[in-house]
Amino acid sequence: MKELIHIYHTNDLHSHFENWPRIRDFLKERKKWHCEEGDPVFLFDIGDHADRWHPFTEGTEGKGNVTLLNEAGYDAITIGNNEGITFSYNELDSLYDDAAFEVIVGNLLNKNMKIPQWAVPYKIYETSSGMKIGVVAVTAYFPAFYHQLGWNVTHPIDELRNQIDKIKDEVNAIVLLSHLGIRDDERIAKEFPDIDVILGAHTHHILHDGKEIHDTLLGAAGKFGYYVGHVQLEVDTDKHIVVAKKAQLYEHHELDEVDGEEYEIQNWFHKGEKLLQEPIVNLPEPIKVEWFKWSPLPQILCDALLEWCAGDCAFLNSGLFLDGLKKGKVTKYDLHSILPHPINPCVIELQGSELKEVVKQTFDEEWPHIQVKGLGFRGKIMGTFVYSEVTFNGSTQEMNIKGEPLDPKKIYKLATTDMFTFGHFFPELSRAKKEYFMPEFLRDLLAWKLKQSF
């Protein structure tokens, strides 16, 4: 006899709730439909469902996302880096208190080097035919960030090997929820023949019809809810083996419209806005921001970075700011609106000669107009740079730090944003000794500095 197992998967929604009503209703309908037909069906999310750029996620500390996953009827999820390293230790530790689904993640440990009480390293599901499906999951490896927050993260490939060794003799098929990215998924497919299906995330890749590597099927559904993935496993119930696999994607715009979806989408936004009405400061005058020339608001944040990180100097790009601040009451919502990024402060140790070359790069006339994607950036363009305790004697060749001529051999502490340490713009910063300040975001530093000043 044959059995058809249906697996629906989403990934990297990043709190783009404008696509959620249709996804939710589609998944609920499909789950009901398959259950009525007597076919096993599972709903999985592969991480980064929550992203603090959206006021609903920010205002509910991610718990609003959990409510949405509950309502859609998910069976299990894994966490992405947005859940793992943009919430404080206590926020993540309580995030899934009300979850009606399993949180599967094998390579995250708490302060006591134990699997957190809200997670399991794997889950074994059994269908009505007796077919046992083992589901394992691993998340992206960012040890410096996790350690700074109080968590411990083990290497995902090593942990995956441990988990598969534990369950491979107990199950008939293995599904991996992987928030690692396409390159690691391809490697895993080659090195782990026991895995039947890899559902991927993190690199926002799209596999319209899946991808077969050896006998492993890869599936991935892009980002922002543009797609919903569907994997079908055909099973020989007498032998309890998978005999065929198929993957496909459903595009969001092809899903049925939901009555009142625009109201729902706006309502989530307004709920978040209401939750973020805590007053921060009362400004006597507006504070402006300009992207292509010096302006006061980026300078205030740059000075705050310098002070917070106890640096010798600091720089940041004006494009981080989506807008300025108006005169009068400033709330948490206002600061979230102009600085929605999950970007942390960072201090980097550089020799004077290295620091000089890095600062010189920021004067490239093309940089302010560069469009930035990823790296936690939620703005549009880079914008011009502003500096604290960096001055020049007539040219960029004569640089002063804290009013003194730069010493090429001296070690300086540069305070800046963590996105500049990932190697995309300044390779020197990715290799240098550094310290991240977490869980504070740039908007938290701005709030702190504004309270000091006003």
Side-chain angles (χ1 to χ4, degrees), residues 231-354:
V231 169
Q232 299 175 67
L233 302 180
E234 186 178 330
V235 172
D236 182 323
T237 57
D238 295 323
K239 297 180 181 179
H240 287 133
I241 58 172
V242 176
V243 295
K245 307 169 190 174
K246 178 184 176 182
Q248 66 185 112
L249 295 179
Y250 302 95
E251 293 192 40
H252 171 264
H253 67 81
E254 295 177 345
L255 305 182
D256 291 339
E257 288 188 28
V258 175
D259 290 341
E261 63 181 42
E262 288 302 323
Y263 172 78
E264 275 196 285
I265 293 163
Q266 290 300 317
N267 193 43
W268 288 319
F269 189 93
H270 292 316
K271 280 184 177 178
E273 182 179 7
K274 188 175 181 180
L275 288 166
L276 295 173
Q277 288 305 308
E278 178 186 327
I280 300 298
V281 72
N282 201 53
L283 293 180
E285 299 292 339
I287 309 179
K288 294 183 179 180
V289 61
E290 299 279 355
W291 287 346
F292 301 116
K293 63 181 180 180
W294 181 93
S295 55
L297 195 53
Q299 188 64 58
I300 289 171
L301 180 56
C302 193
D303 293 343
L305 261 178
L306 180 74
E307 188 176 351
W308 187 272
C309 298
D312 296 305
C313 57
F315 69 59
L316 57 78
N317 56 306
S318 298
L320 286 163
F321 285 87
L322 305 191
D323 205 346
L325 292 172
K326 296 178 180 179
K327 176 182 177 180
K329 184 177 74 171
V330 174
T331 66
K332 287 183 72 173
Y333 173 75
D334 294 321
L335 297 187
H336 180 270
S337 297
I338 66 170
L339 285 170
H341 328 278
I343 292 177
N344 304 104
C346 181
V347 66
I348 305 155
E349 293 188 10
L350 296 168
Q351 262 197 336
S353 56
E354 297 172 312

Side-chain angles (χ1 to χ4, degrees), residues 140-153:
Y141 187 60
F142 293 113
F145 290 94
Y146 276 107
H147 182 74
Q148 189 73 16
L149 288 167
W151 297 102
N152 296 282
V153 63

Side-chain angles (χ1 to χ4, degrees), residues 111-160:
K111 292 177 179 178
N112 300 317
M113 297 299 290
K114 303 289 185 183
I115 293 283
Q117 49 84 24
W118 44 266
V120 294
Y122 61 85
K123 177 75 175 180
I124 298 175
Y125 297 92
E126 186 171 355
T127 71
S128 57
S129 73
M131 184 78 175
K132 292 183 178 180
I133 310 294
V135 179
V136 294
V138 283
T139 195
Y141 187 60
F142 293 113
F145 290 94
Y146 276 107
H147 182 74
Q148 189 73 16
L149 288 167
W151 297 102
N152 296 282
V153 63
T154 59
H155 196 282
I157 303 299
D158 295 338
E159 195 57 49
L160 184 59

Side-chain angles (χ1 to χ4, degrees), residues 67-271:
T67 299
L68 299 185
L69 289 163
N70 284 342
E71 291 171 351
Y74 277 76
D75 295 284
I77 70 156
T78 194
I79 68 167
N81 44 289
N82 271 269
E83 289 90 4
I85 60 176
T86 71
F87 292 101
S88 70
Y89 185 95
N90 289 335
E91 286 168 345
L92 176 56
D93 206 33
S94 63
L95 178 57
Y96 299 105
D97 284 352
D98 297 321
F101 47 81
E102 295 283 358
V103 181
I104 307 174
V105 56
N107 64 322
L108 181 71
L109 303 174
N110 63 19
K111 292 177 179 178
N112 300 317
M113 297 299 290
K114 303 289 185 183
I115 293 283
Q117 49 84 24
W118 44 266
V120 294
Y122 61 85
K123 177 75 175 180
I124 298 175
Y125 297 92
E126 186 171 355
T127 71
S128 57
S129 73
M131 184 78 175
K132 292 183 178 180
I133 310 294
V135 179
V136 294
V138 283
T139 195
Y141 187 60
F142 293 113
F145 290 94
Y146 276 107
H147 182 74
Q148 189 73 16
L149 288 167
W151 297 102
N152 296 282
V153 63
T154 59
H155 196 282
I157 303 299
D158 295 338
E159 195 57 49
L160 184 59
R161 186 172 287 108
N162 293 336
Q163 301 303 334
I164 289 176
D165 286 344
K166 287 179 183 178
I167 69 168
K168 65 181 181 181
D169 295 330
E170 299 180 41
V171 301
N172 308 115
I174 295 176
V175 175
L176 168 63
L177 313 183
S178 167
H179 199 90
L180 301 182
I182 182 62
R183 295 293 170 253
D184 281 331
D185 291 351
E186 291 173 339
R187 172 191 170 187
I188 290 166
K190 294 172 184 175
E191 294 184 11
F192 292 83
D194 293 306
I195 298 177
D196 295 88
V197 177
I198 299 174
L199 303 178
H202 189 49
T203 45
H204 301 175
H205 50 291
I206 300 168
L207 300 175
H208 285 281
D209 302 306
K211 181 177 182 178
E212 291 245 19
I213 297 180
H214 300 319
D215 291 326
T216 301
L217 176 65
L218 278 64
K223 65 177 181 178
F224 300 170
Y226 294 151
Y227 300 93
V228 175
H230 181 197
V231 169
Q232 299 175 67
L233 302 180
E234 186 178 330
V235 172
D236 182 323
T237 57
D238 295 323
K239 297 180 181 179
H240 287 133
I241 58 172
V242 176
V243 295
K245 307 169 190 174
K246 178 184 176 182
Q248 66 185 112
L249 295 179
Y250 302 95
E251 293 192 40
H252 171 264
H253 67 81
E254 295 177 345
L255 305 182
D256 291 339
E257 288 188 28
V258 175
D259 290 341
E261 63 181 42
E262 288 302 323
Y263 172 78
E264 275 196 285
I265 293 163
Q266 290 300 317
N267 193 43
W268 288 319
F269 189 93
H270 292 316
K271 280 184 177 178

Side-chain angles (χ1 to χ4, degrees), residues 382-396:
M382 179 73 77
T384 193
F385 279 78
V386 297
Y387 311 87
S388 294
E389 295 292 1
V390 180
T391 55
F392 307 93
N393 293 330
S395 76
T396 59

